[in-house]
Amino acid sequence: LIYNNMTRKNYVKSDDSLVEDFKAYRVNNDRNRTAYNSFKSALWTLTVAIYLLVSFIYGIWLYSWIIFIIAGAIEEIVKGIMMLRSGKNV
């Protein structure tokens, strides 16, 4: 609980100014961007591992590069879902 509270920024608006709105937007946007970047790192690490594993085991180097196209599509689908859920740009 302590770690979670210290790592997540909670912003409380002090007044209704444009600067305060921007600060609140930035805190919320940073959370979404951090989650998306973590997903992206894991996705591409797994993609390379799967590519190498499939290529070495089955010896299909000629066709296994298609795994990268599939991973790119998965990344864009998840990005779209995150944008729809938050209503903001990632």
Side-chain angles (χ1 to χ4, degrees), residues 12-24:
V12 178
K13 291 170 59 172
S14 60
D15 60 0
D16 287 334
S17 68
L18 184 62
V19 173
E20 296 295 320
D21 290 338
F22 178 73
K23 288 179 183 177

Side-chain angles (χ1 to χ4, degrees), residues 2 9 11 25 30 43-45 51 53 56 58-59 63 67 74 80-81 84 90:
I2 293 171
K9 301 174 187 174
Y11 185 76
Y25 165 78
D30 285 345
L43 174 70
W44 288 108
T45 302
Y51 168 73
L53 188 68
F56 277 117
Y58 297 110
Y63 303 110
I67 293 171
I74 291 170
I81 290 170
L84 285 173
V90 176

Side-chain angles (χ1 to χ4, degrees), residues 8 24-40 78-79 81-90:
R8 291 188 175 210
Y25 165 78
R26 187 167 177 183
V27 167
N28 290 333
N29 197 23
D30 285 345
R31 286 183 188 159
N32 291 340
R33 187 175 295 129
T34 302
Y36 179 67
N37 286 339
S38 296
F39 165 76
K40 230 169 54 169
V78 170
K79 183 178 180 180
I81 290 170
M82 289 181 72
M83 287 174 62
L84 285 173
R85 289 183 76 194
S86 68
K88 300 175 186 170
N89 291 336
V90 176

